[in-house]
Amino acid sequence: MEYLLSILTWEHAPKIENPPVTTDGNKANGQTLLVSDRNKYKSMLIRTYSTVWMIGGFAFLVYMGHLYIWAMVVVIQIFMATELFNLLRKSSEEKQLPGFRLLNWHFFFTAMLFTYGRFLSRELVNTVSSDHLLYKLVSGLIKYQMFICYFLYISGFVWFILTLKKKTYKYQFKQYAWTHMILLTVFAQSSFTVANIFEGMFWFLLPASLIVINDIAAYLFGFFLGRTPLIKLSPKKTWEGFIGASVTTIISAFLLANVMGRFQWFTCPRKDLSTGWLQCDPGPMFKPEHYYLGDWVPHWFPWKDVFLMPVQWHALALGLFASIIAPFGGFFASGFKRAFKIKDFGDSIPGHGGITDRMDCQMVMAVFAYIYHQSFISPHNFSVDAILDQILRNLTYEEQRNLYEQLGEMLGNLCKA
């Protein structure tokens, strides 16, 4: 079991670009033989423990529900920001700029307030709707949320200008640009994960699982069949691993969609910030449809009738993206680390590196899953939920009450007619 886990997690181990020359002669083609690596069992044990804890913790959070997974994403974002902020940090300049590091986090939490305020406004309002005073307060905050966030950003901008010091101009402007790049390429992308969670855990869990499956399959195919290098940025990646992983991921997407689509815990959207059990009409996307294969299969084939969910066809698109495009997020991270001459972004996960090392492909996949859901899955016509969302966001409590009374009069008149 430990050997199998070591294989599945070996790809995520820190890679040494220039292996040290050994004196025992155990080398082949200039690279140290894996069988002669004296530390491999220790590394395997560390990676195995880390992997088991991560899988177990993730499964527990999925069981606990949407709110807990959102909290996990926030923690991941904070760790990623910490790792990336530290890349360009210079202690000599920081000593001359007390409080400058606090400015980075000011921009970070301003972006968090803006992003989650836009994504989760409806869920927040639905959560406090039973309390009149709290409801009015939250509705007002949501209505002016964009102005509040802009004011916070401008205050940070003024703060930055006022803290500029001679001889540190270049360092300060570099940090300012670096902070905005982190918010754009890391925080903004990973925030789409939260939107996917509340649209239905299916749209978070399936894409994330496909990335994991693709990573494992790429290593296994490359380990046993790999001969042809894929890209110079990652010398250990091979075409055989890439193609084998693509086929495996697409097939897995089709099958996993059928399994996950059977559980309302995964398919039902969460419309508030509670943690209770979910019940809903899964909709036509998750209702099996009958397909008669007939002459499409050989006569000896036992299954002439199959039942497939429409979402399984959409899962093929997710699988195709996860296997062909998402890996380029990992290639980007590899090139990024080479540019900064670092092995890993951090050491927060023993045997794996930093949080950023594990999330490179996941961020790319989360954005695609959200855009695909909004473009091809989410209904484009007006729905009751969409209209209520606009009412809650743009009307005061008195205006909403007036609207309710007018609708009551209109319905009363229709009933009399």
Side-chain angles (χ1 to χ4, degrees):
M1 182 63 181
E2 291 182 352
Y3 176 72
L4 177 60
L5 286 173
S6 68
I7 291 179
L8 297 179
T9 58
W10 186 261
E11 183 188 9
H12 302 296
K15 297 179 176 61
I16 301 177
E17 297 181 6
N18 298 309
V21 178
T22 59
T23 58
D24 57 3
N26 292 320
K27 297 195 70 178
N29 297 326
Q31 293 185 349
T32 304
L33 290 174
L34 181 61
V35 70
S36 303
D37 186 357
R38 297 178 181 179
N39 295 322
K40 70 173 184 176
Y41 294 107
K42 181 179 179 180
S43 300
M44 177 194 70
L45 190 61
I46 294 174
R47 286 193 302 272
T48 301
Y49 283 155
S50 298
T51 302
V52 170
W53 276 104
M54 285 191 294
I55 293 176
F58 180 73
F60 175 74
L61 290 175
V62 170
Y63 171 77
M64 292 299 293
H66 306 65
L67 194 62
Y68 292 89
I69 300 179
W70 175 27
M72 177 196 71
V73 173
V74 171
V75 172
I76 288 174
Q77 289 175 330
I78 293 174
F79 271 94
M80 291 175 65
T82 302
E83 293 170 357
L84 293 172
F85 282 149
N86 290 335
L87 279 183
L88 291 183
R89 186 177 183 180
K90 295 181 180 179
S91 57
S92 58
E93 281 82 356
E94 292 284 340
K95 292 179 181 178
Q96 304 178 42
L97 302 168
F100 187 74
R101 181 59 49 186
L102 186 62
L103 181 60
N104 292 335
W105 290 109
H106 171 83
F107 285 120
F108 177 85
F109 286 108
T110 298
M112 180 179 290
L113 178 63
F114 176 78
T115 304
Y116 291 142
R118 304 300 292 178
F119 280 144
L120 302 179
S121 58
R122 183 183 65 184
E123 287 79 4
L124 181 59
V125 169
N126 290 341
T127 304
V128 301
S129 58
S130 59
D131 189 314
H132 175 67
L133 181 61
L134 191 59
Y135 176 80
K136 291 183 66 176
L137 176 62
V138 171
S139 298
L141 289 175
I142 290 175
K143 183 176 182 180
Y144 300 107
Q145 180 241 2
M146 184 176 293
F147 176 80
I148 294 172
C149 292
Y150 179 75
F151 179 80
L152 289 173
Y153 177 83
I154 287 298
S155 65
F157 175 75
V158 173
W159 180 3
F160 168 75
I161 298 299
L162 294 177
T163 57
L164 287 173
K165 286 189 177 182
K166 194 175 182 180
K167 297 182 179 180
T168 61
Y169 290 155
K170 185 176 181 179
Y171 175 76
Q172 287 180 279
F173 277 102
K174 185 186 296 184
Q175 287 290 320
Y176 185 80
W178 180 239
T179 299
H180 284 70
M181 196 194 90
I182 292 173
L183 298 180
L184 180 63
T185 62
V186 176
F187 181 82
Q189 292 189 72
S190 56
S191 296
F192 283 97
T193 303
V194 177
N196 294 336
I197 293 169
F198 285 88
E199 289 288 352
M201 205 181 297
F202 178 94
W203 301 106
F204 158 75
L205 193 58
L206 179 63
S209 301
L210 294 180
I211 294 296
V212 175
I213 291 171
N214 187 74
D215 284 345
I216 295 174
Y219 173 75
L220 292 177
F221 279 98
F223 182 84
F224 291 106
L225 305 174
R227 297 292 184 273
T228 311
L230 175 63
I231 188 169
K232 292 182 179 180
L233 285 174
S234 297
K236 294 187 178 181
K237 301 293 177 62
T238 64
W239 274 106
E240 291 80 3
F242 183 78
I243 295 173
S246 298
V247 175
T248 304
T249 303
I250 293 172
I251 295 174
S252 299
F254 191 76
L255 299 177
L256 275 177
N258 186 281
V259 175
M260 294 181 183
R262 299 172 184 269
F263 299 94
Q264 292 190 7
W265 186 241
F266 295 149
T267 59
C268 291
R270 171 68 72 181
K271 298 181 180 180
D272 55 27
L273 300 181
S274 64
T275 57
W277 199 254
L278 290 172
Q279 288 185 344
C280 68
D281 179 6
M285 196 62 62
F286 296 99
K287 292 181 179 178
E289 295 181 351
H290 174 258
Y291 291 88
Y292 177 68
L293 301 182
D295 297 331
W296 291 91
V297 296
H299 66 277
W300 49 263
F301 192 76
W303 297 288
K304 301 291 185 181
D305 298 277
V306 295
F307 291 88
L308 301 175
M309 299 179 184
V311 75
Q312 289 182 257
W313 306 113
H314 293 282
L316 292 177
L318 296 176
L320 194 64
F321 187 90
S323 58
I324 296 179
I325 305 299
F328 281 85
F331 300 152
F332 177 85
S334 297
F336 196 86
K337 287 184 284 187
R338 285 176 179 266
F340 282 86
K341 298 180 181 180
I342 58 175
K343 183 172 62 176
D344 294 307
F345 286 103
D347 56 1
S348 51
I349 307 178
H352 290 264
I355 295 289
T356 310
D357 295 285
R358 300 281 64 82
M359 294 298 297
D360 43 17
C361 299
Q362 293 285 3
M363 291 188 299
V364 178
M365 188 68 201
V367 177
F368 175 76
Y370 176 81
I371 293 175
Y372 187 90
H373 179 271
Q374 294 298 315
S375 301
F376 300 103
I377 307 297
S378 182
H380 294 280
N381 56 339
F382 285 105
S383 63
V384 174
D385 288 339
I387 294 174
L388 287 176
D389 184 41
Q390 292 297 318
I391 293 173
L392 294 174
R393 289 179 63 89
N394 298 292
L395 299 182
T396 64
Y397 179 79
E398 289 74 16
E399 291 172 335
Q400 293 174 31
R401 184 174 180 178
N402 185 31
L403 176 63
Y404 173 78
E405 292 174 351
Q406 292 185 29
L407 286 174
E409 292 178 1
M410 292 173 61
L411 292 174
N413 294 331
L414 289 175
C415 291
K416 293 178 180 179

